[in-house]
Amino acid sequence: GNCKKIKSVNAEDDKIFILKNIFNKLNIHPESVLINFCRFDDIDEMKLDDLNKYFYDIWYPVVEDIEIFDRECNWMILISHDGDVGYISF
């Protein structure tokens, strides 16, 4: 699928960005998600609620792009190092 940018959302703005709001907007409600930071050689799994709560302890703006997806891999949320948020469905 094509990556669709989610407009008017920027993850760099930690005062107003709430990761779970993206999931709600896309009507995706997984209990746990997989997180990739680089080359899909080291993928972490955690509960979505924990990722939402600790997002800014896990993702570092400016230096990291991350992809978030579930085990079925029907969709992927991409957050770029500059805070842009995109969505792909497969």
Side-chain angles (χ1 to χ4, degrees):
N2 292 338
C3 185
K4 298 175 182 83
K5 183 176 177 188
I6 300 175
K7 298 186 186 329
S8 71
V9 173
N10 191 295
E12 280 190 315
D13 192 347
D14 63 349
K15 302 286 185 275
I16 61 169
F17 180 78
I18 299 170
L19 180 64
K20 207 159 183 187
N21 289 349
I22 301 298
F23 283 84
N24 291 337
K25 181 177 184 167
L26 296 169
N27 200 27
I28 301 171
H29 306 286
E31 185 175 329
S32 64
V33 292
L34 300 168
I35 306 157
N36 174 59
F37 290 97
C38 192
R39 297 179 202 91
F40 291 92
D41 57 355
D42 186 19
I43 297 173
D44 297 313
E45 183 172 13
M46 65 188 312
K47 291 183 185 288
L48 178 57
D49 287 339
D50 291 339
L51 178 59
N52 184 65
K53 184 175 182 179
Y54 300 110
F55 182 70
Y56 289 101
D57 296 322
I58 294 167
W59 176 70
Y60 298 104
V62 181
V63 295
E64 284 185 335
D65 298 332
I66 65 170
E67 293 87 22
I68 303 166
F69 52 100
D70 67 357
R71 289 198 172 276
E72 286 74 41
C73 210
N74 295 324
W75 54 267
M76 185 178 288
I77 293 173
L78 304 95
I79 302 175
S80 72
H81 61 277
D82 60 4
D84 286 341
V85 180
Y87 170 75
I88 300 174
S89 61
F90 300 104

